[in-house]
Amino acid sequence: MSIALAPDAAAPLPTEALPTGPLAREAIALAAFDHVVAKAPGYRARPGQREMAAHIAHTLSGVTPGDGAVSGDAALPARGIAVVQAGTGVGKSAAYASTVIPLALAQQKRVIISTATVALQEQLMAKDLPALAAVLPQPFSFALAKGRGRYVCRLKLDQLSGGDAASADLFESDESAPGADASARWKERGVQYTRWAGELDSGTWDGDRDRLDDPPDGGLWGAVAAERHSCTARHCPSYNSCSYYQARAKLAQAQVIVVNHDLLLSTLGLHALPSPQDCYVVFDEAHHLPGVAQGQFTASMDLMNGRWLDRLPRAVEEVAGALEHKLTADVATLAKELKSAQTELARLGMQRIGAPSTERETVDRFESGQLPAGWRETVEKLHANAGALLKVFEALATQLKANARDNPGDAARCAKLYSRLGVLAPRLQSAQETATLWLQDSSDGQPPLAKWLEAGISHGLVTLTAHACPLQPGSLLRNHLWSQVRAAVVTSASLVTCGNFDHFLAESGLAFDDAVAAREVQSPFDHARQGRLVVVQTEADPKNVDAYTREMLAALMLDLGEVKRGALVLFTSRVQMRQAQALLERGEHATLRDQVLVQGDASRTLLLRRHAERVAAGGASILFGLQSFGEGLDLPGELCEWVFITKLPFASPSDPVGQARADWLKGQGRDPFSELVVPATGARLLQWTGRALRSETDEAVVVCYDARLLRQSYGRRMLKGLPPYRLQQRRPDGRLLDV
């Protein structure tokens, strides 16, 4: 945690004994913003930034998080949600932080800032919040919240630092195939675990995975990571030295907490973070919220790996025996029947799918969310046995916690026994949750669940997983998040798509919410002067994939020859990117090969460092990337003078959730392409083009090879959501025409 104290406590910004009226609060919030702009080094007035700050101050001024009444006036809104589209360069983090934090401090409330990416979290923690704390009169503390799994479990670490396989059996996983030399593996790992334990004892490491000099692989870390299912909390003998709970204690003292969307949504109701209804909550990079929500409520289970069920009876019997607990269920039979049902589902699934591909995963979706004929009985059997075993686990866990509480001297033994169950419980829960969703039928007028299988080959072994999830992220967020939020800022540079907020509000669960006040704040950039958007007219239609790809790649190679400094090429598929790489190996394009850096060939950090070094040395450097490179990359100035978009970034047509949503909308007489596909693609296109201009002095050209952007009505809809670049069309003969 970082604690920042203001250097000038006498600055004339009132923060104590404040009037409680909305107008007074609004004035205080704006005064705080103006104070920060005036005092912070390097800050300058930006009309758009103040417009955003004023909108936030006005929307939240009549709301007090956590209070049943609002300023004693029933006419004032009980909730306020400021939705702000902030164009690139507005400075949105300074706008919301310098208004919301003083507003919260004045009312002795806390602030949660939730983001989608690590990069923005690091920017807030290392730059934005320290700068704000340096000039605000009232000091405040801020901390970064991380998931439990980012911290080491001291109990596991001490158990495994000996390096013997017998101790490791307590936390055994399925990562190694039968017959692997477990003893040698655990001895090798034990050396590393002993080193980590020594660093914890000496204070040179605080147990945070991200603070290790050499980031560990998943297998090495997973065996000692803290987990909710294997944690007895304050009943654990290592509780007082627990890295996770020490971080939680610091978090409890912080007035501003930075977190990611995933952690915030996954911990709702679990008391790992302050309740949203008692805080001011900021959702930055908010366009990710619908996708994160959908992921949170997706259930899945592995149908091919049943070795954990072979171990389960022995683990339960050992724990029950140690507690002298009489089991009321035949655990061995339940586990055997659960494995039998899982095996039968795997057989049915492989019979339906056939031989999986070595190139890509095979996805098989159940139409309208209906299980195939003859499957339901097997799924019901799996559900019943998983549920019965979970009841056994719950009874043992309850007794273990009670024993640890009542007999502190026995706490260490109880914690180890609890962990014995904890490594198996998540698998049982996944099986039961997935089966529950598979058995669920849609009610009248409600969309069905998306249900599907995924098959593939990994390390020479066939994989098969079952999945299910709800179709509407908006309803999930409305029921689980917004019902708990009183005062919030929801912001991003890409909330407006096709010229309006409609798609985002529907997807995020905020449509028709009276608490929402939406505003679009324009970028300060002069896009028409600083940038051009060139749409290439190809002879081939993009729907004719092979012909279009050949023509597009030939044009791309010629255009790359014009690059003098930095450029970014964004591909819509890995296959397309590999075809471009193959062209670079040919003689006529070989000169470009050494200029290209390809996503996946090295870590993102290393690729960007090499790119910057090449440009700084005066040479040309071209990044090849996919969707993740189309968002979040900050390449100002010469680092990105060209952005090449190989095709409109439509989502994969094989996405089972997208397919299920489209089918349901069609059944309702609606148009899924117009309602879902076009706005979502427009939002991605806005992100991709946004890589071009990152400051008011940049100049760049965006080249889109997909002529549908101009030719089709849906393309022109997408154009409405893009900044006002100078728009040009490039004809097949190379002529440029202003549009």
Side-chain angles (χ1 to χ4, degrees), residues 33 52-53 56 91-102 113-115 120 124 128 282-284 489 491:
F33 170 79
M52 179 176 177
I56 292 170
K92 64 182 185 299
S93 59
Y96 63 65
S98 59
T99 50
V100 173
I101 292 174
I113 302 176
S114 182
T115 79
L120 182 53
L124 287 165
D128 296 343
V282 177
F283 295 97
D284 202 342
V489 176
T491 187

Side-chain angles (χ1 to χ4, degrees), residues 323-470:
L323 292 174
E324 298 182 357
H325 176 94
K326 185 176 180 180
L327 294 171
T328 58
D330 185 346
V331 172
T333 298
L334 290 172
K336 182 178 179 181
E337 291 182 351
L338 175 55
K339 185 176 181 181
S340 173
Q342 177 184 294
T343 302
E344 175 62 10
L345 275 182
R347 185 190 69 79
L348 292 170
M350 295 309 300
Q351 188 178 60
R352 178 181 170 95
I353 291 176
S357 168
T358 57
E359 295 294 321
R360 65 188 68 179
E361 285 192 328
T362 301
V363 177
D364 181 48
R365 181 176 63 88
F366 303 150
E367 293 288 333
S368 302
Q370 296 296 314
L371 293 179
W375 286 42
R376 191 173 188 87
E377 184 179 347
T378 303
V379 178
E380 288 174 342
K381 179 182 175 183
L382 187 150
H383 180 268
N385 285 286
L389 286 169
L390 280 172
K391 288 182 179 178
V392 173
F393 274 47
E394 289 165 3
L396 289 171
T398 299
Q399 185 172 341
L400 281 167
K401 287 186 175 181
N403 283 13
R405 181 187 65 241
D406 299 337
N407 304 289
D410 198 31
R413 185 178 72 101
C414 288
K416 292 175 182 177
L417 292 171
Y418 192 87
S419 295
R420 181 75 161 154
L421 301 178
V423 296
L424 299 168
R427 291 183 181 272
L428 274 179
Q429 286 189 332
S430 293
Q432 188 196 42
E433 289 170 0
T434 307
T436 297
L437 293 182
W438 268 31
L439 293 170
Q440 184 175 321
D441 294 322
S442 61
S443 57
D444 292 341
Q446 295 300 313
L449 297 171
K451 303 170 187 176
W452 71 97
L453 294 167
E454 288 185 13
I457 296 178
S458 177
H459 304 294
L461 299 175
V462 174
T463 63
L464 181 66
T465 50
H467 305 262
C469 81

Side-chain angles (χ1 to χ4, degrees), residues 102-379:
L103 199 57
L105 294 177
Q107 299 171 80
Q108 298 183 326
K109 299 295 181 181
R110 304 170 81 185
V111 177
I112 296 174
I113 302 176
S114 182
T115 79
T117 63
V118 172
L120 182 53
Q121 289 180 358
E122 291 175 345
Q123 175 188 317
L124 287 165
M125 292 297 296
K127 178 183 175 185
D128 296 343
L129 292 177
L132 180 63
V135 295
L136 276 183
Q138 186 171 352
F140 65 90
S141 57
F142 52 93
L144 176 63
K146 298 183 180 183
R148 192 189 299 255
R150 307 304 295 180
Y151 296 93
V152 74
C153 170
R154 186 61 199 253
L155 181 71
K156 293 181 182 179
L157 189 65
D158 289 343
Q159 185 75 14
L160 295 179
S161 59
D164 64 292
S167 295
D169 183 64
L170 181 64
F171 311 108
E172 188 177 356
S173 69
D174 291 311
E175 65 175 281
S176 56
D181 189 353
S183 179
R185 185 181 75 250
W186 284 108
K187 282 183 179 179
E188 181 180 340
R189 289 184 172 183
V191 174
Q192 181 62 68
Y193 295 146
T194 300
R195 185 179 302 120
W196 287 349
E199 292 174 356
L200 273 178
D201 291 336
S202 67
T204 56
W205 181 48
D206 62 359
D208 183 340
R209 176 179 180 167
D210 299 321
R211 295 184 184 275
L212 289 169
D213 293 333
D214 186 15
D217 63 51
L220 178 66
W221 178 259
V224 294
E227 297 175 294
R228 181 167 62 88
H229 293 93
S230 60
C231 178
T232 55
R234 61 178 54 86
H235 305 309
C236 176
S238 300
Y239 176 75
N240 290 332
S241 60
C242 176
S243 302
Y244 171 67
Y245 280 102
Q246 286 176 346
R248 281 276 302 273
K250 293 177 181 178
L251 206 64
Q253 304 302 315
Q255 291 148 305
V256 179
I257 297 171
V258 178
V259 67
N260 66 43
H261 299 333
D262 232 337
L263 182 60
L264 178 61
L265 293 181
S266 68
T267 56
L268 289 173
L270 297 180
H271 309 294
L273 294 169
S275 172
Q277 66 183 3
D278 296 327
C279 302
Y280 286 88
V281 187
V282 177
F283 295 97
D284 202 342
E285 300 176 316
H287 60 285
H288 284 286
L289 271 176
V292 173
Q294 201 120 43
Q296 283 290 333
F297 290 91
T298 296
S300 62
M301 62 176 167
D302 185 347
L303 295 177
M304 299 299 283
N305 185 355
R307 293 193 301 275
W308 64 280
L309 284 168
D310 297 330
R311 297 199 313 270
L312 187 147
R314 179 166 63 93
V316 171
E317 289 166 7
E318 288 178 1
V319 173
L323 292 174
E324 298 182 357
H325 176 94
K326 185 176 180 180
L327 294 171
T328 58
D330 185 346
V331 172
T333 298
L334 290 172
K336 182 178 179 181
E337 291 182 351
L338 175 55
K339 185 176 181 181
S340 173
Q342 177 184 294
T343 302
E344 175 62 10
L345 275 182
R347 185 190 69 79
L348 292 170
M350 295 309 300
Q351 188 178 60
R352 178 181 170 95
I353 291 176
S357 168
T358 57
E359 295 294 321
R360 65 188 68 179
E361 285 192 328
T362 301
V363 177
D364 181 48
R365 181 176 63 88
F366 303 150
E367 293 288 333
S368 302
Q370 296 296 314
L371 293 179
W375 286 42
R376 191 173 188 87
E377 184 179 347
T378 303
V379 178

